[in-house]
Amino acid sequence: MEYVTPEGFRLDGRRPMEMRQLRAEIGVVSRADGSAVFEMGNTKVIAAVYGPREVKNRSEQLNDQALVRCEYSMANFSTGDRRRKHKGDRRSTEISLVIRQTMEACILTHLMPRSQIDIFVQVLQADGGTRSACINAATLALADAGIPMSDLVTSCSAGYLNNTPLLDLNYVEDSAGGPDVTVGILPKLDKVTLLQMDAKLPMNILENVMQLATEGCKAVANYIREVLLNNTKQLEFRRGV
Amino acid sequence: MRGIQLSFNKTQKLRLDKALEQLEYFSSKLNSNAIVTVSDTIPVNHEDGVLKGHGTMELEGEVVATLCGVVERVNKLVYVRPFRARYKPEIGDIIVGRVIEVAPKRWRLEINFSQDAVLMLSSMNLPDGIQRRRTAVDELNMRTIFEEYDVICAEVRGFQHDGCLHLQARSQKYGKLERGQLLTISPYLVKRQKQHFHHIDQYGIDLILGCNGFIWVGEHVEVKDDMIEDQTNKSEQQNNKLSGLASHQNQEHNYTPLELRQYICRAANAVRVLSTLGFMITVDKIMDAVEMSTSKNLNIHEMLGAEFYVLVAEREAERRSSSSKKR
């Protein structure tokens, strides 16, 4: 199948190095300490953060740092075929673990000993790149909850189809069976915290694809920062003196 | 817009936007660009020496924010004051909390902090008002003082060596809160002040603005000094306890009158509206909103409607414009 036309357009009309439209909203869950909705094109993810709060299970309590937990789920209506997915299947456990580890790397957990932070992410619409969207949404929600972080983590995916590196794959491109590289970076420190790929790629091509994904992450970071700044300004002027 | 899930009609939307625009205009005059987000560099003069406070960290010789908020500078100290975050206790703060567990010699309270707070049996006055050692009997009778899910007002005593937060309630004004509503708002909307207990004479209600963002609106309770009154009343109380009938009558007499309950609801709704709009909560503003609702002949439930939100926002804009003119 042709994923890139000779004119250089993808199936949804984007250029190979073009991202889908981003949209983010902060404070969507009123009872949560922090929450956010993050959209990349048709992919839509909601994240809620609770904590730092008292550890529920005393045996899990850590005396020198906070316990970070993450739960990922996919809404039944998120995909084209409506399917009941039981909680805790292999895929969602794996993604929960990935999100937990990436977020734990940037949260300054030593500042909140003997407490726990819960991150809940749910996919409302799945159209490829859910993993990245979840991480971006979780970052926003954590920042909204006022949890100290060493840097914002942002994530973006990239793939390689028809001998072209493609940024931010959608569902059709994702299910084409080609390589799909998900990259998470700390933009300020310029470090990679997440790198996942389920296929094989030659070394030199991987570098190109990863470079592209990193550029995507930086674009996401700029957008997230803008959203956060706007939100903080709103809070400041509304509060008054 | 955060938190407001209402359907405004076109004019209401325009009015609200205009009011908020005005607010933005007044605050932009006061504040310089001190707002930072996570991983923003905070400009500092390294020659003077810098003390890094909360919400900052050092990265490659630069001071970097780890929170979203406003940069505050006190001499050499540089710190970031966050907005939406959990409560950070300071010694002497007056807080409102909810009992979640009765443990040996202590109660555990939920106070919107990263851990549960502890109120020791020994750090509160006994109901009989006598100063003495707490015995095993006292410990067994702890549930007669506070039970699970009771709402309590107390003061922050300090951190113990193990990092636990301890509270104390060594005065008659602290203790169990009854006949009212508890509202939870973001702690950044409550300013630390000299006075956190407020008695609104006009309506006969009590307002407690807990520093942890828990706000109590309830029927006014006369704070009496138990030490003096106790001796005279003791025999009387005992008589009451003995005869179940008398106490039953007493209870009926103690019902909160309807009018008072309506005022409590009005004040509570005023707090809800102000906090969803993100305005700082003060007694003046709450009372102002209550008065506005009564003068406009709004029902209690109408206070949570779109129109009242717009009115409160407009009133706030007006207030800030008049205060900035005075300056």
Side-chain angles (χ1 to χ4, degrees):
Chain A
M1 196 177 155
E2 193 180 54
Y3 290 97
V4 187
T5 60
E7 293 84 39
F9 283 109
R10 284 154 76 175
L11 292 172
D12 51 6
R14 281 184 289 160
R15 295 277 183 187
M17 303 204 177
E18 200 179 325
M19 269 219 301
R20 289 177 285 178
Q21 195 186 17
L22 301 177
R23 195 185 80 88
E25 199 181 330
I26 293 181
V28 287
V29 184
S30 56
R31 297 294 298 174
D33 286 295
S35 57
V37 161
F38 194 84
E39 282 175 45
M40 295 173 93
N42 283 328
T43 303
K44 187 172 184 179
V45 174
I46 189 166
V49 169
Y50 294 85
R53 61 179 176 187
E54 184 84 11
V55 183
K56 289 277 162 62
N57 187 352
R58 285 279 159 79
S59 60
E60 288 178 343
Q61 183 168 306
L62 303 168
N63 272 318
D64 54 342
Q65 58 174 25
L67 173 73
V68 181
R69 294 173 68 206
C70 179
E71 203 176 296
Y72 165 93
S73 61
M74 248 173 133
N76 291 331
F77 49 80
S78 62
T79 45
D81 48 338
R82 193 184 176 93
R83 224 184 355 220
R84 186 171 294 274
K85 293 183 197 71
H86 56 276
K87 210 174 120 189
D89 59 349
R90 272 179 82 102
R91 193 183 120 82
S92 58
T93 348
E94 189 244 315
I95 299 187
S96 301
L97 187 75
V98 166
I99 299 170
R100 206 203 81 204
Q101 285 173 341
T102 5
M103 296 335 283
E104 208 170 8
C106 74
I107 298 172
L108 303 172
T109 48
H110 62 275
L111 294 176
M112 299 156 281
R114 289 181 298 280
S115 56
Q116 122 178 3
I117 297 167
D118 290 302
I119 306 167
F120 296 95
V121 279
Q122 185 168 39
V123 178
L124 301 178
Q125 287 183 92
D127 185 30
T130 50
R131 212 169 291 224
S132 323
C134 284
I135 289 171
N136 295 334
T139 310
L140 271 170
L142 282 169
D144 180 39
I147 291 168
M149 294 192 285
S150 55
D151 200 352
L152 297 164
V153 199
T154 55
S155 172
C156 192
S157 67
Y160 190 73
L161 290 168
N162 296 145
N163 298 320
T164 339
L166 302 176
L167 183 64
D168 194 13
L169 303 184
N170 65 20
Y171 179 74
V172 184
E173 291 164 335
D174 207 7
S175 45
D180 171 19
V181 187
T182 303
V183 179
I185 63 158
L186 300 172
K188 179 91 176 181
L189 307 164
D190 216 9
K191 278 181 182 159
V192 176
T193 56
L194 170 72
L195 179 60
Q196 280 194 317
M197 183 171 65
D198 312 329
K200 283 183 181 173
L201 260 185
M203 235 357 216
N204 55 338
I205 297 176
L206 172 72
E207 264 171 34
N208 281 340
V209 175
M210 221 185 110
Q211 185 62 42
L212 186 64
T214 315
E215 291 299 318
C217 290
K218 284 182 181 157
V220 174
N222 283 339
Y223 179 69
I224 284 186
R225 187 159 298 159
E226 195 183 306
V227 169
L228 280 176
L229 195 66
N230 263 336
N231 182 57
T232 320
K233 266 187 192 156
Q234 280 267 328
L235 291 178
E236 153 83 10
F237 82 68
R238 287 223 192 157
R239 178 176 178 257
V241 272
Chain B
M1 196 188 302
R2 114 163 286 138
I4 305 181
Q5 276 137 5
L6 285 169
S7 49
F8 293 99
N9 65 29
K10 233 172 200 170
T11 29
Q12 283 169 340
K13 202 164 201 159
L14 279 174
R15 281 162 63 201
L16 186 65
D17 286 346
K18 194 176 166 236
L20 293 177
E21 225 167 72
Q22 264 182 316
L23 292 184
E24 191 170 4
Y25 169 72
F26 292 125
S27 73
S28 61
K29 271 201 297 194
L30 295 170
N31 276 296
S32 54
N33 301 329
I35 294 168
V36 288
T37 63
V38 176
S39 81
D40 274 355
T41 309
I42 301 169
V44 285
N45 192 354
H46 281 279
E47 283 154 26
D48 301 344
V50 181
L51 281 170
K52 297 189 304 298
H54 287 291
T56 61
M57 70 174 188
E58 187 149 351
L59 185 77
E60 290 156 5
E62 286 177 326
V63 180
V64 172
T66 61
L67 292 168
C68 296
V70 177
V71 179
E72 301 274 349
R73 292 162 203 266
V74 181
N75 294 333
K76 282 183 184 176
L77 178 69
V78 177
Y79 68 96
V80 178
R81 179 166 51 83
F83 286 111
R84 274 176 54 79
R86 289 226 157 188
Y87 168 59
K88 232 172 110 267
E90 281 174 29
I91 294 174
D93 277 356
I94 288 159
I95 55 148
V96 177
R98 194 184 279 279
V99 178
I100 52 164
E101 191 188 340
V102 181
K105 286 186 198 161
R106 71 196 70 200
W107 292 274
R108 290 191 170 280
L109 274 77
E110 156 65 33
I111 60 159
N112 194 28
F113 179 47
S114 65
Q115 302 155 39
D116 292 335
V118 169
L119 177 63
M120 297 289 289
L121 177 61
S122 56
S123 53
M124 68 165 297
N125 281 359
L126 290 174
D128 56 10
I130 304 168
Q131 297 282 348
R132 60 176 164 83
R133 257 185 91 96
R134 309 304 193 264
T135 59
V137 181
D138 288 327
E139 217 177 298
L140 287 172
N141 289 334
M142 273 173 68
R143 277 211 173 75
T144 60
I145 307 177
F146 302 137
E147 269 183 317
E148 281 93 348
Y149 311 118
D150 276 350
V151 180
I152 287 178
C153 176
E155 185 184 309
V156 175
R157 182 177 167 207
F159 286 96
Q160 235 45 19
H161 306 293
D162 56 347
C164 274
L165 181 70
H166 276 236
L167 306 176
Q168 62 183 4
R170 288 196 185 282
S171 153
Q172 284 302 317
K173 59 181 180 178
Y174 301 130
K176 184 143 115 187
L177 301 171
E178 285 172 307
R179 291 185 208 151
Q181 288 188 36
L182 177 71
L183 301 147
T184 50
I185 62 167
S186 244
Y188 80 93
L189 296 173
V190 182
K191 203 178 192 176
R192 288 196 173 84
Q193 278 163 328
K194 271 185 189 155
Q195 197 51 257
H196 283 267
F197 293 91
H198 300 278
H199 171 212
I200 315 298
D201 239 341
Q202 189 183 353
Y203 303 128
I205 57 174
D206 268 349
L207 265 172
I208 302 174
L209 308 178
C211 292
N212 58 341
F214 284 29
I215 289 181
W216 177 260
V217 189
E219 188 188 334
H220 178 62
V221 187
E222 209 53 65
V223 178
K224 53 177 187 283
D225 204 341
D226 261 15
M227 300 286 246
I228 307 159
E229 221 164 291
D230 223 42
Q231 273 103 43
T232 53
N233 282 1
K234 203 173 245 174
S235 52
E236 204 175 302
Q237 274 173 7
Q238 268 164 359
N239 283 343
N240 274 353
K241 261 178 211 161
L242 288 173
S243 57
L245 197 96
S247 73
H248 193 73
Q249 279 175 344
N250 224 11
Q251 235 174 26
E252 219 153 273
H253 176 71
N254 278 343
Y255 268 140
T256 317
L258 178 66
E259 203 186 355
L260 195 57
R261 276 185 269 170
Q262 284 173 336
Y263 281 130
I264 290 172
C265 290
R266 270 187 201 278
N269 277 352
V271 174
R272 285 193 185 103
V273 172
L274 285 167
S275 67
T276 356
L277 284 167
F279 298 155
M280 179 98 83
I281 303 284
T282 58
V283 186
D284 302 343
K285 281 187 206 172
I286 295 169
M287 289 302 69
D288 200 44
V290 170
E291 269 156 35
M292 193 156 67
S293 79
T294 43
S295 68
K296 295 242 190 288
N297 275 330
L298 290 171
N299 276 331
I300 293 168
H301 71 272
E302 282 169 333
M303 287 177 76
L304 297 176
E307 178 64 23
F308 194 67
Y309 274 88
V310 178
L311 285 173
V312 170
E314 281 176 342
R315 183 82 184 83
E316 178 74 13
E318 208 177 288
R319 182 205 308 270
R320 283 193 208 169
S321 76
S322 65
S323 70
S324 70
K325 263 175 210 156
K326 269 181 214 158
R327 249 171 239 160

